[in-house]
Coordinates of all heavy atoms in Angstrom, one line a residue:
P1117 N -39.7 -49.1 -2.8 CA -38.9 -48.0 -2.6 C -39.2 -47.3 -1.2 O -38.2 -46.8 -0.6 CB -39.3 -47.0 -3.7 CG -39.7 -48.1 -4.9 CD -40.3 -49.2 -4.1
L1120 N -37.5 -49.2 1.4 CA -36.1 -49.2 1.3 C -35.5 -47.8 1.9 O -34.5 -47.6 2.6 CB -35.6 -49.3 -0.2 CG -34.1 -49.1 -0.4 CD1 -33.2 -49.9 0.4 CD2 -33.7 -49.3 -1.9
R1121 N -36.3 -46.7 1.5 CA -36.0 -45.3 2.0 C -36.0 -45.3 3.4 O -35.1 -44.6 4.1 CB -36.9 -44.3 1.4 CG -36.6 -43.9 -0.1 CD -37.3 -42.7 -0.4 NE -38.7 -42.9 -0.5 CZ -39.3 -43.3 -1.6 NH1 -38.7 -43.6 -2.7 NH2 -40.7 -43.5 -1.7
L1124 N -32.8 -46.8 4.9 CA -31.6 -45.9 4.5 C -31.8 -44.7 5.5 O -30.8 -44.4 6.0 CB -31.7 -45.4 3.1 CG -31.5 -46.6 2.1 CD1 -31.7 -46.0 0.8 CD2 -30.1 -47.1 2.3
D1125 N -33.0 -44.2 5.8 CA -33.1 -43.1 6.7 C -32.8 -43.4 8.1 O -32.5 -42.6 8.9 CB -34.6 -42.5 6.6 CG -34.8 -41.7 5.4 OD1 -33.8 -41.5 4.6 OD2 -36.0 -41.6 5.0
L1130 N -23.8 -39.8 8.4 CA -22.6 -40.1 7.7 C -21.3 -39.6 8.6 O -20.3 -40.3 8.7 CB -22.5 -39.4 6.3 CG -23.6 -39.7 5.3 CD1 -23.5 -38.9 4.2 CD2 -23.1 -41.1 4.9
D1152 N -23.8 -33.6 3.6 CA -25.2 -33.1 3.5 C -26.1 -34.0 2.6 O -26.2 -34.0 1.4 CB -25.3 -31.7 3.0 CG -26.6 -31.0 3.2 OD1 -27.6 -31.7 3.1 OD2 -26.6 -29.8 3.4
L1153 N -27.0 -34.8 3.2 CA -27.8 -35.7 2.4 C -28.9 -34.9 1.6 O -29.3 -35.6 0.5 CB -28.6 -36.7 3.3 CG -27.6 -37.7 4.1 CD1 -28.6 -38.6 5.1 CD2 -26.9 -38.6 3.0
N1154 N -29.2 -33.8 1.9 CA -30.2 -33.0 1.1 C -29.4 -32.7 -0.2 O -30.1 -32.7 -1.3 CB -30.6 -31.7 1.8 CG -31.7 -32.0 2.9 OD1 -32.4 -33.0 2.8 ND2 -31.5 -31.3 4.0
L1155 N -28.2 -32.3 -0.2 CA -27.5 -32.0 -1.4 C -27.3 -33.3 -2.2 O -27.4 -33.2 -3.5 CB -26.2 -31.3 -1.0 CG -26.1 -30.0 -0.4 CD1 -24.8 -29.5 -0.1 CD2 -26.8 -28.9 -1.5
C1156 N -27.0 -34.4 -1.6 CA -26.9 -35.6 -2.3 C -28.1 -36.0 -3.1 O -28.1 -36.4 -4.2 CB -26.4 -36.6 -1.3 SG -24.8 -36.5 -0.6
R1157 N -29.2 -35.8 -2.4 CA -30.6 -36.0 -3.0 C -30.8 -35.2 -4.2 O -31.4 -35.6 -5.2 CB -31.7 -35.9 -1.9 CG -31.6 -36.9 -0.8 CD -32.8 -36.8 0.1 NE -32.8 -37.7 1.3 CZ -32.4 -37.1 2.5 NH1 -32.3 -35.8 2.7 NH2 -32.3 -38.0 3.5
K1158 N -30.4 -33.9 -4.2 CA -30.6 -33.1 -5.2 C -29.8 -33.3 -6.4 O -30.2 -33.4 -7.5 CB -30.2 -31.6 -4.7 CG -30.4 -30.6 -5.9 CD -30.2 -29.1 -5.4 CE -30.5 -28.1 -6.5 NZ -30.2 -26.7 -6.2
I1159 N -28.5 -33.9 -6.2 CA -27.7 -34.4 -7.3 C -28.3 -35.6 -8.0 O -28.3 -35.7 -9.1 CB -26.3 -34.7 -6.8 CG1 -25.6 -33.5 -6.2 CG2 -25.4 -35.4 -7.9 CD1 -24.4 -33.7 -5.5
A1160 N -28.9 -36.5 -7.1 CA -29.5 -37.7 -7.7 C -30.7 -37.3 -8.5 O -31.0 -37.8 -9.5 CB -30.0 -38.6 -6.5
S1161 N -31.4 -36.3 -8.1 CA -32.6 -35.9 -8.7 C -32.2 -35.3 -10.0 O -32.8 -35.4 -11.1 CB -33.4 -34.9 -7.9 OG -34.4 -34.3 -8.6
L1162 N -31.1 -34.4 -10.1 CA -30.6 -33.7 -11.3 C -30.1 -34.7 -12.4 O -30.3 -34.5 -13.5 CB -29.5 -32.9 -10.8 CG -30.0 -31.5 -10.2 CD1 -28.8 -30.8 -9.6 CD2 -30.8 -30.5 -11.1
A1163 N -29.7 -35.9 -11.8 CA -29.2 -36.9 -12.7 C -30.3 -37.6 -13.4 O -30.2 -38.3 -14.5 CB -28.3 -38.1 -11.9
G1164 N -31.5 -37.4 -12.9 CA -32.6 -38.1 -13.6 C -32.8 -39.6 -13.3 O -33.3 -40.3 -14.1
V1165 N -32.3 -40.0 -12.3 CA -32.3 -41.4 -12.0 C -33.7 -41.9 -11.7 O -34.6 -41.4 -10.8 CB -31.3 -41.7 -10.7 CG1 -31.5 -43.3 -10.3 CG2 -29.9 -41.4 -11.1
A1166 N -33.9 -43.0 -12.4 CA -35.5 -43.6 -12.3 C -35.4 -44.9 -11.5 O -34.2 -45.4 -11.3 CB -36.1 -43.8 -13.6
P1167 N -36.4 -45.3 -10.9 CA -36.4 -46.7 -10.2 C -35.9 -47.8 -10.9 O -36.3 -47.8 -12.1 CB -37.9 -46.7 -9.7 CG -38.5 -45.4 -9.6 CD -37.7 -44.6 -10.7
D1168 N -35.0 -48.6 -10.5 CA -34.5 -49.8 -11.0 C -33.5 -49.5 -12.0 O -33.0 -50.4 -12.7 CB -35.6 -50.8 -11.7 CG -35.2 -52.1 -11.5 OD1 -34.5 -52.5 -10.4 OD2 -35.5 -52.8 -12.4
E1169 N -33.2 -48.3 -12.3 CA -32.0 -47.9 -13.3 C -30.7 -48.3 -12.7 O -30.5 -48.3 -11.5 CB -32.0 -46.5 -13.6 CG -33.1 -46.1 -14.7 CD -32.8 -44.8 -15.3 OE1 -32.4 -43.9 -14.6 OE2 -32.9 -44.7 -16.6
A1170 N -29.7 -48.7 -13.6 CA -28.3 -49.0 -13.2 C -27.5 -47.8 -13.2 O -27.6 -47.0 -14.1 CB -27.8 -50.1 -14.1
V1171 N -26.8 -47.7 -11.9 CA -26.0 -46.5 -11.9 C -24.6 -46.9 -11.4 O -24.5 -47.7 -10.5 CB -26.5 -45.5 -10.8 CG1 -25.6 -44.3 -10.6 CG2 -27.9 -44.9 -11.3
I1172 N -23.5 -46.3 -11.9 CA -22.2 -46.5 -11.5 C -21.8 -45.2 -10.8 O -21.9 -44.2 -11.3 CB -21.2 -47.0 -12.7 CG1 -21.5 -48.2 -13.3 CG2 -19.8 -46.8 -12.2 CD1 -20.7 -48.5 -14.5
E1173 N -21.3 -45.3 -9.6 CA -20.7 -44.3 -8.9 C -19.3 -44.6 -8.6 O -18.9 -45.6 -8.1 CB -21.5 -44.1 -7.6 CG -21.0 -43.0 -6.6 CD -21.5 -42.9 -5.3 OE1 -22.3 -43.8 -4.9 OE2 -21.2 -42.0 -4.6
V1174 N -18.5 -43.6 -8.8 CA -17.0 -43.7 -8.5 C -16.6 -42.8 -7.2 O -17.0 -41.6 -7.2 CB -16.1 -43.3 -9.7 CG1 -14.6 -43.1 -9.4 CG2 -16.4 -44.2 -10.8
G1175 N -15.8 -43.3 -6.5 CA -15.5 -42.6 -5.3 C -16.5 -42.3 -4.2 O -16.7 -41.1 -3.9
P1176 N -17.4 -43.3 -3.9 CA -18.5 -43.0 -3.0 C -18.0 -42.6 -1.7 O -18.9 -42.0 -0.8 CB -19.2 -44.4 -2.9 CG -18.1 -45.4 -3.3 CD -17.3 -44.6 -4.2
G1179 N -20.5 -42.7 1.4 CA -21.7 -43.2 0.9 C -23.0 -42.1 0.9 O -24.1 -42.7 0.9
G1180 N -22.7 -41.0 1.0 CA -23.8 -40.0 1.0 C -24.6 -40.0 -0.3 O -25.8 -40.3 -0.2
L1181 N -23.9 -39.8 -1.5 CA -24.5 -39.8 -2.7 C -25.0 -41.3 -3.0 O -26.2 -41.4 -3.5 CB -23.7 -39.3 -3.8 CG -24.1 -39.4 -5.2 CD1 -25.3 -38.4 -5.3 CD2 -23.0 -38.8 -6.3
T1182 N -24.4 -42.2 -2.5 CA -24.8 -43.7 -2.7 C -26.1 -43.8 -2.0 O -27.1 -44.4 -2.7 CB -23.9 -44.7 -2.1 OG1 -22.5 -44.2 -2.4 CG2 -24.1 -46.0 -2.6
R1183 N -26.4 -43.3 -0.9 CA -27.7 -43.4 -0.1 C -28.8 -42.7 -1.0 O -29.9 -43.3 -1.1 CB -27.5 -42.8 1.2 CG -26.9 -43.4 2.3 CD -27.1 -42.8 3.6 NE -26.2 -43.2 4.6 CZ -26.2 -43.0 6.0 NH1 -27.4 -42.3 6.3 NH2 -25.4 -43.4 6.7
A1184 N -28.5 -41.5 -1.5 CA -29.5 -40.8 -2.2 C -29.8 -41.6 -3.6 O -31.0 -41.6 -4.0 CB -28.9 -39.5 -2.6
L1185 N -28.9 -42.3 -4.2 CA -29.2 -42.9 -5.4 C -30.0 -44.2 -5.1 O -31.1 -44.6 -5.9 CB -27.9 -43.4 -6.0 CG -27.0 -42.3 -6.6 CD1 -25.6 -42.8 -7.2 CD2 -27.8 -41.6 -7.9
L1186 N -29.8 -44.9 -3.9 CA -30.5 -46.0 -3.6 C -31.9 -45.6 -3.2 O -32.8 -46.3 -3.6 CB -29.7 -46.7 -2.5 CG -28.5 -47.4 -2.8 CD1 -27.7 -47.8 -1.4 CD2 -28.8 -48.6 -3.6
A1187 N -32.0 -44.4 -2.5 CA -33.3 -44.0 -2.2 C -34.2 -43.7 -3.3 O -35.4 -43.7 -3.3 CB -33.2 -42.8 -1.2
A1188 N -33.5 -43.3 -4.4 CA -34.3 -43.0 -5.6 C -34.7 -44.3 -6.4 O -35.4 -44.2 -7.5 CB -33.4 -42.1 -6.5
G1189 N -34.2 -45.5 -5.9 CA -34.7 -46.7 -6.3 C -33.6 -47.2 -7.4 O -33.9 -48.4 -8.0
A1190 N -32.4 -46.7 -7.6 CA -31.5 -47.3 -8.4 C -30.8 -48.5 -7.9 O -30.8 -48.8 -6.6 CB -30.4 -46.1 -8.6
R1191 N -30.3 -49.3 -8.9 CA -29.3 -50.3 -8.5 C -27.9 -49.7 -8.8 O -27.6 -49.3 -9.8 CB -29.5 -51.5 -9.5 CG -30.8 -52.2 -9.2 CD -31.2 -53.3 -10.3 NE -31.3 -52.8 -11.6 CZ -30.6 -53.0 -12.6 NH1 -29.6 -53.6 -12.6 NH2 -31.0 -52.4 -13.8
V1192 N -27.1 -49.8 -7.7 CA -25.9 -49.0 -7.8 C -24.6 -49.8 -7.6 O -24.6 -50.8 -6.8 CB -25.7 -47.9 -6.7 CG1 -24.5 -47.2 -6.6 CG2 -27.0 -47.0 -6.6
A1193 N -23.6 -49.6 -8.4 CA -22.3 -50.3 -8.4 C -21.4 -49.2 -8.0 O -21.2 -48.1 -8.7 CB -21.9 -50.8 -9.7
A1194 N -20.8 -49.3 -6.7 CA -20.0 -48.2 -6.2 C -18.5 -48.7 -6.3 O -18.2 -49.7 -5.7 CB -20.4 -48.0 -4.8
V1195 N -17.7 -47.9 -7.1 CA -16.3 -48.2 -7.2 C -15.4 -47.4 -6.2 O -15.5 -46.2 -6.4 CB -15.9 -48.0 -8.7 CG1 -14.5 -48.4 -8.9 CG2 -16.8 -48.7 -9.7
L1205 N -19.4 -49.0 3.3 CA -20.2 -49.3 2.1 C -21.0 -50.7 2.1 O -22.0 -50.7 1.7 CB -19.4 -49.2 0.9 CG -18.8 -47.8 0.6 CD1 -17.9 -47.8 -0.6 CD2 -20.1 -46.8 0.3
L1208 N -23.9 -50.4 4.2 CA -25.0 -49.7 3.4 C -25.6 -50.6 2.4 O -26.8 -50.7 2.3 CB -24.4 -48.5 2.6 CG -25.3 -47.7 1.7 CD1 -26.5 -47.2 2.5 CD2 -24.5 -46.5 1.2
A1212 N -29.4 -51.9 1.9 CA -30.1 -51.8 0.6 C -30.6 -53.1 0.1 O -31.1 -53.0 -1.0 CB -29.1 -51.1 -0.3
R1215 N -29.3 -54.1 -3.7 CA -29.3 -53.1 -4.6 C -28.0 -52.4 -4.7 O -27.8 -51.6 -5.6 CB -30.5 -52.0 -4.4 CG -31.8 -52.8 -4.4 CD -32.9 -51.7 -4.3 NE -33.1 -51.1 -5.6 CZ -33.8 -51.6 -6.6 NH1 -34.5 -52.8 -6.4 NH2 -34.0 -50.9 -7.8
L1216 N -27.1 -52.7 -3.9 CA -25.6 -52.0 -3.9 C -24.6 -53.1 -4.2 O -24.5 -54.0 -3.3 CB -25.5 -51.2 -2.7 CG -24.0 -50.6 -2.5 CD1 -23.7 -49.6 -3.6 CD2 -23.9 -50.1 -1.2
T1217 N -23.8 -52.9 -5.2 CA -22.7 -53.8 -5.3 C -21.4 -52.8 -5.1 O -21.2 -51.8 -5.6 CB -22.5 -54.3 -6.9 OG1 -23.7 -55.1 -7.0 CG2 -21.3 -55.1 -7.0
F1232 N -22.6 -54.1 -15.3 CA -23.9 -54.4 -15.3 C -24.2 -55.1 -16.6 O -24.9 -54.7 -17.6 CB -24.8 -53.2 -15.2 CG -24.9 -52.5 -13.9 CD1 -24.3 -51.3 -13.6 CD2 -25.8 -53.0 -12.9 CE1 -24.4 -50.8 -12.4 CE2 -25.9 -52.5 -11.7 CZ -25.1 -51.3 -11.4
I1238 N -27.2 -47.4 -18.7 CA -26.4 -47.3 -17.4 C -26.0 -45.8 -17.2 O -25.4 -45.3 -18.1 CB -25.1 -48.2 -17.4 CG1 -25.5 -49.6 -17.6 CG2 -24.4 -48.0 -15.9 CD1 -24.3 -50.6 -17.7
R1239 N -26.3 -45.2 -16.1 CA -25.9 -43.8 -15.8 C -24.7 -43.9 -15.0 O -24.5 -44.8 -14.2 CB -27.1 -43.1 -15.1 CG -28.4 -43.0 -15.9 CD -29.4 -42.1 -15.2 NE -30.6 -42.0 -15.7 CZ -31.0 -41.2 -16.8 NH1 -30.1 -40.4 -17.2 NH2 -32.3 -41.2 -17.3
V1240 N -24.0 -42.8 -15.1 CA -22.9 -42.6 -14.2 C -23.1 -41.3 -13.3 O -23.5 -40.3 -13.9 CB -21.5 -42.3 -14.9 CG1 -20.3 -42.1 -13.9 CG2 -21.1 -43.7 -15.7
V1241 N -23.0 -41.4 -12.1 CA -23.4 -40.3 -11.1 C -22.3 -40.4 -10.2 O -22.3 -41.3 -9.3 CB -24.8 -40.4 -10.5 CG1 -25.0 -39.1 -9.7 CG2 -25.8 -40.6 -11.6
S1242 N -21.6 -39.3 -10.0 CA -20.3 -39.3 -9.0 C -19.9 -37.9 -8.5 O -20.0 -36.9 -9.4 CB -19.1 -39.9 -9.8 OG -19.3 -41.4 -10.0
N1243 N -19.6 -37.8 -7.4 CA -18.8 -36.9 -6.9 C -17.3 -37.2 -7.0 O -16.8 -37.8 -6.2 CB -19.0 -36.6 -5.3 CG -18.1 -35.6 -4.7 OD1 -17.4 -34.9 -5.3 ND2 -18.1 -35.6 -3.3
S1265 N -26.0 -41.4 -19.5 CA -25.8 -40.0 -19.1 C -24.8 -40.0 -18.1 O -24.5 -41.1 -17.5 CB -27.1 -39.3 -18.6 OG -27.4 -39.8 -17.2
M1266 N -24.2 -38.9 -17.9 CA -23.1 -38.7 -16.8 C -23.5 -37.3 -16.1 O -23.6 -36.3 -16.6 CB -21.7 -38.7 -17.3 CG -21.1 -40.0 -18.1 SD -19.5 -39.8 -18.8 CE -19.9 -38.9 -20.2
T1267 N -23.6 -37.5 -14.7 CA -23.8 -36.3 -13.8 C -22.6 -36.4 -12.9 O -22.6 -37.2 -11.9 CB -25.3 -36.4 -13.2 OG1 -26.2 -36.5 -14.2 CG2 -25.5 -35.2 -12.3
L1268 N -21.8 -35.4 -13.0 CA -20.5 -35.5 -12.4 C -20.1 -34.3 -11.7 O -20.3 -33.1 -12.2 CB -19.4 -35.8 -13.4 CG -19.6 -37.1 -14.3 CD1 -18.6 -37.2 -15.5 CD2 -19.6 -38.3 -13.4

Side-chain angles (χ1 to χ4, degrees):
L1120 178 56
R1121 282 195 294 271
L1124 295 172
D1125 289 343
L1130 296 168
D1152 186 328
L1153 290 177
N1154 288 325
L1155 290 177
C1156 292
R1157 293 185 189 104
K1158 184 174 181 181
I1159 294 169
S1161 176
L1162 289 168
V1165 175
D1168 208 40
E1169 278 195 319
V1171 174
I1172 293 177
E1173 180 191 5
V1174 170
L1181 181 55
T1182 319
R1183 288 193 193 188
L1185 293 168
L1186 291 167
R1191 293 173 290 116
V1192 181
V1195 183
L1205 294 170
L1208 178 55
R1215 302 186 73 85
L1216 173 62
T1217 301
F1232 285 108
I1238 303 170
R1239 298 186 188 273
V1240 178
V1241 186
S1242 292
N1243 170 16
S1265 70
M1266 295 179 282
T1267 304
L1268 308 171

